[in-house]
Amino acid sequence: MSINFSPEGQDTNDAKELATALSKIKVGIPSTFGGVMHSEDNANVVFDTFNIHAPPDITPNTRIIAVLGIPQEDSTKRANEWFISDFFAFWNLFQGVTIRPQHWLHCLDFEQLVQGEKVYLHGNPYKERKVVLDHKILQKAYQGKDAIRQVPPSQPHMLLKEFKDTVKAECKSAAATGHNVLLLMFGHGDPDNYGIHLGGKSTLFTPKLLKFLLKGISVSVTMLTTQCFGGGWSCSPHVNLTTMTAAGTTKDSKSWRYSGSTGRACGSMFATAIINKLIEHPATGDPLGTEDDEGNGGPADWTKDQHESYASFSQAVYESLLRGVDRRGLEHHITFSAQDDAWSMCWGPRTGIPLENFRQRWQELPTFPADKTLHPGDPFNRDPLVTDAQRQEYQDLWKAEKARRLAEPTVIMPSAPSESTGSILGKRKMSGCYGGTLDGLIRTVKTLAGDYLRSNPGMDDSSLSGALHYDIGKILADQEKDQSVVEETLRIIQYRMEHQSTADRYLELMNIPAPHDTKCCEFDTRFLIDEVPDPKYEAIKDMIYDGHLLFPHPEKGQGHAFTKGIEYLIIAFHVAKSDQEVVMEKLQALKAQVEAEVEQNKTFVKRDPEVARKRHKVFKAFGLGIMSPRKRQSVEP
């Protein structure tokens, strides 16, 4: 077996930290396992874990509305494909279980995506996984009342409108009939307003928007989302929902590690934890539908006190994530909330998810073997059930591999230039700026990638960084020769390094000391950021994001949101013990200075001869000629 060895580094799996977190869980107190209260008065209330007076399960009447937010142009990028796995994992479980038609919205050409026997998997790549999408499953997904529904891929912006209209219509109808609504949302989240991108970066479905849609409608709504920063839905003052989110307000969600056998991440760890819980008996933890030799013990024999409360379900999902899915599960900061803080409500009628058929449905999906290029003892394997013997075997194999590599002759590559020498206004491909060859471009990326990886940019299995780090690994191993991939990798690295340098400069301008005398590119924000109280974090974050002047969103080709610089500033204010009034004054002064610099740069660019020449060509092409400002005013209406 040829093994893909992970880069050397400290194993961040901390058994003691995990044990401490598990010991803090208190039965019936949701705040000890990710629960967020709509009323602070309920923070320490002990809720019933099972409610014997719960009404019967009304799952057949639940309104299910799901949306997959990624557009067609991004559907084959590694940073996005795991959302497809999550979307179809839940479709395979939920389709056909309700009386009313379900809504599964997307704007992708799935026929194109499954060409060539391509499959989408779900689960840990170190273990057997389930095939959740292939050509056969896709044909089934096109049929029946719960068929997936496509918004034209050429009009991805229409996905938001279709989702809004569907949510409003179904919630209004459900309110009239007393039914529940279940929203499932899969896509990239926004760290500013906690919305989810539907069809592109400019089309956001936000808590404020949902509040507007539900105005005057009294309905029970449960939301499950695997987006980054999804905890904002649980904490938002704008909506009162039952929520299950894959990440906290400051965290990105975690996908499974990128598999060498498919080149993609196979869904999210949070979705795996939810699915693992759904295919168990709701009261005993045994597999659903398990019967004894005499046929007893199946769903028909469950008593009403075995219907699980939402508090109990949430705790079970939290423990499933930490005990059975991810030994670094604390990094997720998964959150739950209960509409009206009704944590004792029976899980069945609360969300309308039927429990008895899930195990059979999941088992019927095709099984895909574990990735043979990955060793289970690899520190990147987050499975809590990995044995000490497996870890030791991996370390022995890695030592032998290092010795082999050291024995091989090394080719000394010429040093690469540190920056582009081409004009920023030119139209040349990026590779033309690095000696005109792909090899020159790759050498440059390798040099910058080393600096980037040493800057503590986040974990390899983060949904915001996983695809980038996977591509960097392939480039460093000389396994990536696709010029477009190498060029985009360079653009993302440059954006993220500049982002960190900008944070350093802002501290200097505000005369705030660097936290622990450490620059942003040397600082690891993952641990200290959790020490900042949530209200303080939110207040400073909102001031930094206001207007998007200080840290603009990445442009097309620069990857997804990168929040390290923002977290670095928040930590710096926190360590300096700056009160909110001081923070506001310094940030307002900084924004004024940055705004003045932006205007100055705009004036400079307008005077650039190359810009003037291109403007002249545009005017000439449209037969407008070049007019002076005074003449232009005389002809304008």
Side-chain angles (χ1 to χ4, degrees), residues 97-346:
V97 301
T98 58
I99 294 174
R100 291 186 59 84
Q102 300 172 13
H103 305 273
W104 294 81
L105 307 175
H106 67 94
C107 57
L108 301 180
D109 182 353
F110 285 122
E111 288 283 359
Q112 178 183 334
L113 295 181
V114 298
Q115 282 181 354
E117 304 300 319
K118 188 175 181 180
V119 298
Y120 287 81
L121 310 175
H122 205 284
N124 188 342
Y126 294 87
K127 305 166 74 172
E128 285 187 344
R129 293 154 286 176
K130 286 296 183 180
V131 177
V132 293
L133 176 61
D134 59 12
H135 190 267
K136 184 177 179 180
I137 293 174
L138 181 59
Q139 298 313 305
K140 181 181 178 182
Y142 285 145
Q143 303 169 6
K145 66 179 179 61
D146 299 335
I148 59 176
R149 190 162 91 234
Q150 182 195 60
V151 170
S154 59
Q155 298 177 300
H157 61 282
M158 293 300 294
L159 181 63
L160 176 60
K161 181 181 185 303
E162 187 72 15
F163 186 62
K164 287 193 304 181
D165 292 347
T166 303
V167 168
K168 186 170 184 177
E170 286 293 339
C171 286
K172 189 174 182 179
S173 176
T177 56
H179 297 159
N180 301 321
V181 176
L182 173 62
L183 303 180
L184 305 167
M185 306 193 307
F186 309 98
H188 287 290
D190 190 281
D192 181 10
N193 51 37
Y194 308 123
I196 183 170
H197 296 280
L198 300 183
K201 290 185 177 181
S202 61
T203 45
L204 276 167
F205 185 75
T206 65
K208 282 186 178 180
L209 180 53
L210 181 58
K211 177 185 178 181
F212 173 77
L213 295 176
L214 297 182
K215 187 176 182 180
I217 301 175
S218 179
V219 63
S220 173
V221 179
T222 294
M223 171 186 290
L224 184 153
T225 178
T226 61
Q227 70 182 78
C228 296
F229 319 110
W233 289 94
S234 300
C235 303
S236 174
H238 302 294
V239 288
N240 177 15
L241 309 171
T242 297
T243 62
M244 295 171 276
T245 74
T249 57
T250 66
K251 302 296 180 181
D252 49 354
S253 52
K254 309 294 182 185
S255 66
W256 284 113
R257 182 185 176 178
Y258 285 73
S259 169
S261 57
T262 64
R264 297 188 301 279
C266 304
S268 67
M269 298 179 192
F270 178 70
T272 297
I274 293 284
I275 291 169
N276 285 353
K277 177 55 188 166
L278 293 179
I279 61 178
E280 290 178 352
H281 186 295
T284 67
D286 295 330
L288 284 167
T290 299
E291 301 179 356
D292 59 23
D293 294 337
E294 298 180 1
N296 300 317
D301 293 318
W302 297 350
T303 60
K304 59 184 178 181
D305 63 335
Q306 288 175 321
H307 283 283
E308 193 170 23
S309 72
Y310 184 56
S312 183
F313 180 88
S314 303
Q315 178 181 335
V317 170
Y318 184 84
E319 290 188 356
S320 172
L321 179 67
L322 270 61
R323 293 184 190 275
V325 176
D326 180 14
R327 52 183 171 161
R328 297 208 307 273
L330 294 173
E331 296 175 1
H332 300 243
H333 286 220
I334 64 174
T335 67
F336 303 92
S337 67
Q339 192 164 349
D340 301 322
D341 284 341
W343 291 89
S344 293
M345 177 64 76
C346 174

Side-chain angles (χ1 to χ4, degrees), residues 51-89:
N51 188 345
I52 63 175
H53 302 296
D57 194 351
I58 57 171
T59 55
N61 293 318
T62 298
R63 318 297 181 93
I64 297 180
I65 311 165
V67 65
L68 175 61
I70 58 175
Q72 180 67 21
E73 64 177 351
D74 293 337
S75 61
T76 58
K77 293 181 179 179
R78 296 187 181 100
N80 301 313
E81 291 179 310
W82 65 276
F83 291 118
I84 298 175
S85 293
D86 278 350
F87 181 81
F88 273 96

